């Protein structure tokens, strides 16, 4: 039963449970739920809003409520309060959208309010990455629980979070108190989000396949020793730690360069493209590239279903290994890059370790084959060498016998030849001994004549040089004598001048000019009156003799 009664200062609203009516009443200003009486209460000042909102829904009103409504309506025949305006707009929206509608949009602002009971967020529409329209939305606790249970039953393919596109069932509503138009979320279409992801992925794959670049990166020859690794992942993430631990535990000398990137949300595409561009510039320094992200909801991995990312990986000049999510997860990158088994971050790292291990095993097998072939060849050569040694020994022995015979014949010929040479040499020596005295006499006679002539030439030259030396000595002696005489005259004149000056300074010369020299009894000359105080005996030296004086004291120059 739907009815409204006036009780004191409040209007008491009662009805059997109906979620739509409950949301409608919640839009009334200052409404309150009374859990004891199990009814809604609204101050009677809002009677106009209550009647005009609930009368179309089949509510009955008691006489007091009707009278109050008529009274207030006459008072406000032309004017509307804000709450009345919002209530009328809310009623119009309810009439236009009597039932919930399905709306498609991208969630925005959910994460920052996810901890609240009532989560307020926006549904937005984007075009080329820019928001072109948005509407406010609210998710109440009851509906949130229902949606979370629905996702859990579906295997939790994704979670409610920012930047995923969803299809929701929502009631169009106006929050009367705030005058805000919004959507009240009732339900979620799980299959839509998953289907949209799959549709977009298939469209990208068809396009790349048509252009002939879908398998280009996977057709590149994989390096035998992929030790120089470029890793693109979120810095500090579990994916990074798993890759590093797996590669380090392998014991192989991997060289790892990490480029941080966003792996969820709208920034995933530009962030990973930026990392790929950096590695492309330094491609000569790397063997392979790893793109890794840990597990998560399938919708979270949809950010890797990007045509730009797929093209960049497909056309990258060295192999790109993709380890994103769990083994059962797929993205476009799994089809254009190298997908390991399992296709996880640690699986991608194990794939590299396996490739290096395979190369090492091939090298060890090849080395073993080479060593075996070398041993067989050595054994064969050793046998052949033994046979050649045996033949060589036999041949050498025969050769030695022949050489001994030949040496005997040569020895005999050599002895005979030596004896003949000795006889010839003795004859030559005998003839030479006869010729030596005659030759020596002739040679000595010639030498005596040459020595006599040389002696004569030496004497003549010596006399000539001695005469020249005597003449030079005479000239130099005359020059030295003249210089000595001039120097002696100069020194005599200088000594005479000094003697005159010294005589002029002699004290006796002073006395001869009429002056006297006073001396103390000690013989020291008096130069200061203080030396001869009163009563001092003095001696005065004169030109004609000496005076003995007694001092009566004296005064210094300038004293009175």
């Amino acid at each position: 039963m739907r009815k409204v009664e006036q009780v004191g200062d409040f209007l008491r609203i009662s009805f059997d449970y109906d979620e739509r009516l409950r949301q409608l009443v919640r839009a009334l200003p200052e409404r309150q739920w009374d859990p004891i009486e199990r009814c809604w209460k609204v101050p009677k000042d809002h009677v106009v809003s209550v009647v005009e909102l609930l009368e179309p829904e089949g509510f009955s009103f008691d006489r007091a409520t009707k009278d109050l409504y008529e009274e207030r309506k006459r008072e406000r025949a032309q004017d509307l309060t804000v709450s009345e305006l919002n209530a009328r707009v809310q009623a119009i929206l309810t009439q236009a959208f009597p039932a919930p509608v399905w709306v498609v949009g991208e969630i925005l602002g959910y994460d920052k309010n996810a901890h609240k009971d009532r989560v307020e967020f926006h549904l937005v529409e984007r075009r080329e990455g820019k928001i072109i329209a948005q509407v406010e939305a609210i998710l109440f606790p009851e509906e949130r629980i229902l949606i979370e249970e629905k996702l859990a039953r579906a295997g939790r393919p994704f979670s409610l979070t920012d930047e995923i596109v969803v299809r929701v069932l929502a009631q169009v509503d106006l929050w009367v108190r705030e005058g805000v138009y919004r959507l009240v979320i009732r339900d979620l279409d799980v299959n839509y989000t998953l289907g949209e992801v799959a549709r977009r992925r298939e469209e990208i794959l068809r396009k790349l396949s048509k252009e002939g670049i879908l398998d280009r990166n996977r057709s590149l020859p994989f390096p035998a020793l992929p030790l120089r690794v470029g890793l693109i992942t979120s810095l500090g993430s579990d994916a990074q730690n798993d890759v590093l631990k797996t590669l380090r535990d392998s014991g192989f000398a991997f060289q790892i360069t990490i480029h941080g990137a966003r792996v969820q949300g709208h920034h995933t595409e530009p962030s990973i493209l930026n990392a790929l561009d950096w590695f492309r510039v330094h491609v000569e320094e790397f063997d392979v590239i790893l793109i890794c992200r840990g597990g998560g909801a399938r919708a979270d991995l949809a950010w890797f279903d990007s045509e730009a990312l797929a093209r960049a990986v497909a056309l990258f000049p060295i192999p790109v290994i993709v380890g994103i999510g769990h083994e059962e997860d797929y993205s476009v990158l799994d089809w254009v890059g190298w997908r390991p088994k399992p296709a996880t971050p640690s699986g991608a790292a194990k794939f590299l370790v396996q490739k290096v291990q395979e190369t090492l095993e091939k090298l060890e097998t090849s080395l073993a084959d080479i060593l075996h072939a070398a041993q067989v060849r050595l054994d064969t050569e050793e046998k052949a060498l033994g046979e050649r040694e045996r033949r060589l020994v036999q041949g050498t022995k025969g050769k030695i016998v022949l050489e001994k015979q030949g040496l005997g014949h040569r020895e005999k010929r050599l002895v005979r030849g030596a004896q003949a040479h000795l006889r010839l040499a003795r004859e030559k020596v005998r003839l030479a001994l006869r010729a030596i005295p005659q030759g020596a006499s002739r040679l000595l006679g010639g030498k005596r004549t040459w020595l006599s002539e040389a002696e004569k030439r030496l004497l003549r030259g010596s006399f000539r040089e001695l005469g020249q030396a005597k003449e030079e000595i005479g000239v130099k002696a005359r020059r030295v004598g003249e210089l000595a005489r001039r120097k002696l005259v100069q020194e005599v004149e200088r000594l005479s001048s000094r003697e005159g000056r010294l005589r002029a300074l002699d004290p006796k010369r002073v006395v001869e000019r009429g002056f006297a020299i006073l001396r103390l009894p000690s013989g020291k000359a008096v130069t200061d009156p203080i030396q001869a105080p009163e009563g001092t005996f003095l001696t005065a030296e004169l030109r004609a003799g000496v005076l003995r004086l007694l001092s009566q004291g004296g005064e210094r120059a300038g004293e009175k």
Side-chain angles (χ1 to χ4, degrees):
M1 181 177 182
R2 304 177 181 181
K3 63 179 181 179
V4 178
E5 300 173 310
Q6 182 177 343
V7 179
D9 293 331
F10 291 91
L11 299 177
R12 186 174 181 274
I13 304 172
S14 304
F15 57 92
D16 295 333
Y17 179 78
D18 185 309
E19 180 59 26
R20 189 181 66 82
L21 290 178
R22 188 177 73 88
Q23 295 298 332
L24 197 63
V25 172
R26 285 169 62 91
L28 290 170
E30 298 185 77
R31 80 284 182 278
Q32 297 178 5
W33 170 254
D34 188 336
I36 298 176
E37 297 185 12
R38 300 191 62 78
C39 65
W40 292 91
K41 291 183 178 180
V42 178
K44 66 180 183 180
D45 291 340
H46 301 298
V47 63
V48 175
S49 299
V50 171
V51 173
E52 292 183 352
L53 180 64
L54 300 182
E55 189 174 26
E57 300 296 330
F59 278 77
S60 62
F61 304 91
D62 65 355
R63 173 53 56 187
T65 301
K66 290 181 178 180
D67 292 343
L68 182 60
Y69 170 71
E70 294 296 334
E71 179 183 349
R72 295 294 174 85
K73 190 174 181 181
R74 286 193 299 270
E75 293 175 357
R76 303 174 185 175
Q78 301 297 326
D79 300 330
L80 292 175
T81 64
V82 174
S83 61
E84 290 172 347
L85 173 63
N86 289 344
R88 288 192 182 185
V89 174
Q90 202 272 350
I92 293 172
L93 283 175
T94 302
Q95 293 174 2
F97 299 96
V101 295
W102 288 99
V103 181
V104 175
E106 177 188 319
I107 296 177
L108 186 64
Y110 186 95
D111 293 347
K112 66 180 181 181
N113 295 318
H115 63 285
K116 299 179 181 179
D117 290 337
R118 295 182 300 173
V119 184
E120 297 178 354
F121 58 98
H122 286 82
L123 286 178
V124 303
E125 180 182 354
R126 294 182 186 270
R127 182 176 298 164
E128 297 179 355
K130 296 182 179 180
I131 297 176
I132 61 172
Q134 62 180 331
V135 62
E136 288 192 13
I138 185 169
L139 179 61
F140 289 102
E142 297 86 350
E143 286 76 12
R144 184 178 184 180
I145 292 173
L146 294 174
I147 291 175
E148 291 292 346
E149 291 175 350
K150 190 174 185 179
L151 288 170
R153 288 194 300 271
R156 199 164 292 283
F158 60 90
S159 58
L160 292 178
T161 186
D162 288 351
E163 300 181 336
I164 67 168
V165 178
V166 294
R167 181 173 180 259
V168 294
L169 183 65
Q171 178 68 52
V172 182
D173 185 33
L174 180 79
W175 189 7
V176 175
R177 190 182 72 182
E178 299 293 334
V180 176
Y181 152 64
R182 64 185 181 180
L183 298 179
V184 180
I185 306 301
R186 301 296 187 205
D187 198 359
L188 172 72
D189 185 354
V190 177
N191 293 327
Y192 174 84
T193 300
L194 297 179
E196 181 64 18
V197 170
R199 183 198 62 77
R200 184 172 60 178
R201 180 186 305 155
E202 291 299 325
E203 181 181 349
I204 294 172
L205 292 177
R206 280 197 304 271
K207 194 171 185 179
L208 297 181
S209 179
K210 185 177 180 180
E211 296 178 15
I213 62 174
L214 183 63
D215 300 324
R216 181 169 297 183
N217 189 266
R218 286 183 286 124
S219 63
L220 293 174
F222 203 88
L225 286 173
L227 296 174
R228 301 178 302 168
V229 181
L231 174 60
I232 301 175
T233 189
S234 177
L235 295 178
S237 63
D238 291 341
Q240 173 186 321
N241 296 332
D242 289 345
V243 171
L244 294 181
K245 184 178 185 303
T246 302
L247 296 182
R248 288 169 181 165
D249 291 347
S250 69
F252 297 125
F254 285 101
Q255 300 174 13
I256 308 162
T257 301
I258 304 174
H259 194 298
R262 295 284 296 274
V263 293
Q264 184 170 331
H266 283 290
H267 296 290
T268 300
E269 178 182 297
S271 182
I272 295 180
L273 287 176
N274 177 60
L276 288 172
D277 288 341
W278 187 89
F279 282 116
R280 184 179 288 104
V281 172
H282 303 84
V283 71
E284 297 298 329
E285 303 172 17
F286 298 93
D287 300 316
V288 293
I289 302 298
L290 267 65
I291 300 178
C292 294
R293 181 201 189 279
R298 275 179 279 173
D300 296 339
L301 306 180
W303 298 108
F304 291 92
D305 292 326
S306 158
E307 182 178 345
L309 284 180
R311 287 183 180 278
V313 171
L315 299 175
F316 206 76
I318 60 176
V320 178
I321 302 172
V322 180
I324 299 174
H326 301 293
E327 171 61 20
E328 64 274 11
D329 295 326
Y330 276 86
S331 69
V332 169
L333 299 190
D334 288 297
W335 297 99
V336 296
W338 294 71
R339 178 181 169 89
K341 290 184 179 181
T344 61
S346 58
K350 290 177 182 177
F351 179 75
L352 291 180
V353 174
Q354 180 183 353
K355 288 293 183 181
V356 176
Q357 184 65 43
E358 290 175 356
T359 301
L360 180 61
E361 291 174 356
K362 289 179 181 178
L363 289 174
E364 291 176 346
T365 302
S366 300
L367 181 60
D369 293 341
I370 292 172
L371 291 175
H372 177 71
Q375 187 63 48
V376 172
R377 183 65 180 271
L378 285 174
D379 293 341
T380 303
E381 291 296 327
E382 185 177 1
K383 292 178 181 178
L385 184 61
E387 181 63 24
R388 286 196 295 272
E389 181 182 4
R390 186 183 62 78
R391 292 198 300 270
L392 181 61
V393 170
Q394 292 176 352
T396 302
K397 289 180 179 179
K399 188 71 172 176
I400 290 173
V401 172
L402 294 175
E403 288 296 328
K404 283 182 178 180
Q405 295 174 356
L407 284 173
H409 296 304
R410 286 195 292 274
E411 182 181 4
K412 293 177 181 179
R413 290 196 299 271
L414 183 60
V415 170
R416 289 195 296 270
Q419 291 174 348
H421 280 292
L422 285 172
R423 287 193 297 272
L424 182 60
R426 289 193 188 100
E427 183 62 24
K428 288 182 178 180
V429 169
R430 186 178 61 79
L431 295 175
L433 289 173
R434 291 178 182 177
I436 285 174
Q438 298 174 359
S441 297
R442 289 194 298 272
L443 182 61
L444 288 173
K447 292 296 181 181
R448 288 192 189 99
T449 303
W450 181 83
L451 288 173
S452 178
E453 292 295 329
E455 182 181 5
K456 293 177 182 179
R457 288 194 300 272
L458 182 60
L459 288 173
R460 287 195 297 271
S462 299
F463 287 138
R464 187 169 54 252
E465 290 180 359
L466 285 172
Q468 292 175 354
K470 287 179 179 179
E471 291 178 1
E472 290 179 0
I473 290 171
V475 172
K476 290 181 178 179
R478 289 192 294 272
R479 290 179 181 174
V480 168
E482 292 175 359
L483 290 173
R485 284 193 295 273
R486 285 199 297 270
K487 189 68 173 177
L488 183 59
V489 171
Q490 291 175 357
E491 290 297 324
V492 169
E493 291 176 353
R494 188 170 60 180
L495 288 173
S496 298
S497 176
R498 287 182 178 178
E499 182 181 5
R501 288 196 298 273
L502 288 173
R503 286 179 179 177
L505 295 175
D506 190 353
K508 292 181 178 181
R509 299 291 295 174
V510 175
V511 173
E512 289 177 357
R513 289 199 302 271
F515 294 95
I517 298 175
L518 295 179
R519 293 185 183 276
L520 295 170
S522 63
K524 185 177 180 180
V526 178
T527 59
D528 192 334
I530 198 171
Q531 292 178 278
E534 184 178 356
T536 303
F537 289 100
L538 301 173
T539 302
E541 293 182 7
L542 305 175
R543 182 174 62 180
V546 177
L547 287 178
R548 291 178 176 83
L549 305 174
L550 180 63
S551 174
Q552 295 181 355
E555 296 177 354
R556 286 186 173 181
E559 294 181 355
K560 293 183 179 180

